[in-house]
Amino acid sequence: MLWVAFSGGRDSTVLLHALRDVPGVAATHIDHGLNADSAAWAWHCARVAADLGVGFEARRVCAAADGNREQAARRARYAAWRELLRPGDLLALAHHADDQAETRLWQLLTGREPGGMPVERRLGGGLLVRPMLGIRRAAITAYAEHHGLRWIEDPSNEDLSLDRNYIRAHILPRIEERFPNAVKRLARPRPAAAPVPLAASAVSTTTIEDWLRAAGLPVARAAVAQIRRQTSACRDRVPQVTVAPGIRAWRHADHWHLVRESAPLAAQPVAVGVCARIGSGALGWRRGGRGLPAGMRMTVRPRAGGERLRVDGRNLTKSVKALLHDAGVPPWRRPGWPLLFADDGTLVALPGLAVAEGAAVADGWQPQWTPFEDF
């Protein structure tokens, strides 16, 4: 399903209008309850969605009215989206090129790594995407006016006590006046390189900070100190440290690895020979040798604990836990590794690692499992 994060403002109105003919598209509106007109805004959004013929869902969240309201609202909003998204869902946000430039300037001026907003990232069971990051604000305004769209003007956008509003109103225009291509350069997507694991033997405050910055992550003093302490933990332990919301550093095989949390694996039907995206990876098939019979119907389920499998051709029965450990599967990937069960509830395969004796046939299909990148 394709969800459009719909605040009712100009940018999200344009995005929803542009995507209105996509099958299964729906708008989701988050009411933070921080403005006296928020109920009227939700009504407006529902009316616009109805006029465009798309589905609509509104959610009310509780964001603290004191302290940093922007941060509180963002946390509440993302929590609602995580709960909303199911495996395979997309959530489209209306951030554009000028937003990206403002974000990078804000990050630079406040001492953060100026990595900007990613084009896409995992969120809950689905994927958050920003399809308009390459489009300038002026083009979006022109589209809205050309199509006669109606939108809400949030008065908080005029509050110059907020850093991003100040950058938008006073800093970016002066920069662009002097350097005409500055916004285009600041908004350019930066390819995200998969972070290299950090060797435990090389751990120091400096190397940890450099490692986190290279991945575009915040450098929190407490997290850095905890990684240093946990580096000396016993070798049979697998410590983990939260370094950012939804991102942890895991120590495994004498290295630290950055891992983004993934949604729990959900049960779903599959058929032998049919490739499928499942949870945090892709199920594929290889023909030849001993494997499962073509067309066999099965169910993918997550581990519940205690499962055992008699491995075809090896004359032994082992626990799934032991099979994953013996294969060197990193501990953060084990909970999401799919198990294939026959209709009678019998475990018939651990994709990529083993097929059960009694289920395998000659010239069958061997299930393969390819986890997505950890970060």
Side-chain angles (χ1 to χ4, degrees):
M1 185 165 187
L2 172 61
W3 292 96
V4 175
F6 187 38
S7 68
R10 178 200 55 212
D11 302 338
S12 63
T13 300
V14 165
L15 181 59
L16 185 63
H17 184 271
L19 297 175
R20 65 192 184 281
D21 293 327
V22 175
V25 68
T28 176
H29 175 77
I30 304 297
D31 179 358
H32 301 89
L34 295 175
N35 188 289
D37 294 325
S38 64
W41 292 352
W43 182 89
H44 167 87
C45 290
R47 182 62 185 268
V48 170
D51 289 345
L52 293 175
V54 303
F56 178 78
E57 176 177 317
R59 295 194 176 200
R60 180 73 181 264
V61 298
C62 294
D66 54 353
N68 190 323
R69 291 176 24 142
E70 283 186 298
Q71 273 189 10
R74 185 180 187 278
R75 282 195 298 267
R77 184 165 64 248
Y78 272 74
W81 287 339
R82 286 190 188 92
E83 183 180 307
L84 170 72
L85 295 179
R86 296 291 177 260
D89 284 356
L90 295 178
L91 174 68
L93 271 60
H95 295 123
H96 48 71
D98 294 70
D99 290 330
Q100 181 75 297
E102 291 162 12
T103 296
R104 283 196 167 122
L105 268 181
W106 175 78
Q107 290 171 331
L108 182 64
L109 295 172
T110 54
R112 296 165 171 83
E113 177 70 19
M117 297 177 286
V119 175
E120 64 178 48
R121 55 163 287 197
R122 287 197 291 271
L123 183 68
L127 197 67
L128 180 153
V129 296
R130 294 182 171 95
M132 301 204 301
L133 274 188
I135 302 175
R136 293 296 306 271
R137 178 183 286 118
I140 292 170
T141 300
Y143 180 102
E145 292 174 348
H146 174 76
H147 289 280
L149 303 182
R150 299 172 292 113
W151 64 86
I152 296 165
E153 293 288 355
D154 186 344
S156 69
N157 290 333
E158 305 302 318
D159 183 358
L160 296 185
S161 69
L162 301 177
D163 291 342
R164 292 173 190 269
N165 292 346
Y166 186 85
I167 290 171
R168 182 182 310 127
H170 292 294
I171 298 180
L172 260 184
R174 299 292 296 275
I175 290 176
E176 195 165 22
E177 180 181 340
R178 177 76 177 186
F179 305 98
N181 292 318
V183 171
K184 183 178 179 181
R185 286 192 291 268
L186 283 168
R188 185 178 300 148
R190 188 176 72 180
V196 176
L198 176 65
S201 60
V203 162
S204 68
T205 297
T206 300
T207 58
I208 298 169
E209 290 178 347
D210 290 345
W211 181 57
L212 294 173
R213 287 194 186 99
L217 295 173
V219 179
R221 189 176 304 170
V224 172
Q226 197 172 354
I227 290 174
R228 288 200 63 178
R229 284 196 302 272
Q230 295 289 2
T231 297
S232 58
C234 298
R235 289 178 60 86
D236 60 349
R237 291 186 57 209
V238 186
Q240 49 185 296
V241 176
T242 298
V243 295
I247 301 172
R248 295 182 183 181
W250 287 69
R251 198 199 70 181
H252 172 65
D254 294 323
H255 284 76
W256 283 95
H257 304 258
L258 289 173
V259 179
R260 195 181 299 278
E261 293 178 4
S262 57
L265 181 68
Q268 68 181 79
V270 294
V272 172
V274 179
C275 298
R277 174 175 176 156
I278 298 171
S280 58
L283 178 67
W285 301 88
R286 188 174 67 225
R287 182 71 180 270
R290 291 185 62 78
L292 298 174
M296 179 182 178
R297 310 294 300 185
M298 297 169 300
T299 301
V300 171
R301 294 184 201 158
R303 291 173 59 199
E307 297 92 349
R308 298 178 67 80
L309 184 144
R310 185 165 182 81
V311 182
D312 182 63
R314 291 174 60 184
N315 195 31
L316 58 83
T317 300
K318 298 198 76 168
S319 68
V320 168
K321 179 180 179 180
L323 288 168
L324 291 168
H325 179 272
D326 293 348
V329 175
W332 55 87
R333 288 184 178 171
R334 296 173 194 173
W337 205 279
L339 278 62
L340 302 183
F341 289 85
D343 288 341
D344 63 1
T346 303
L347 177 61
V348 295
L350 186 60
L353 300 180
V355 175
E357 186 177 289
V361 298
D363 194 27
W365 291 83
Q366 299 173 16
Q368 307 296 307
W369 176 244
T370 305
F372 298 143
E373 288 185 1
D374 298 320
F375 181 76

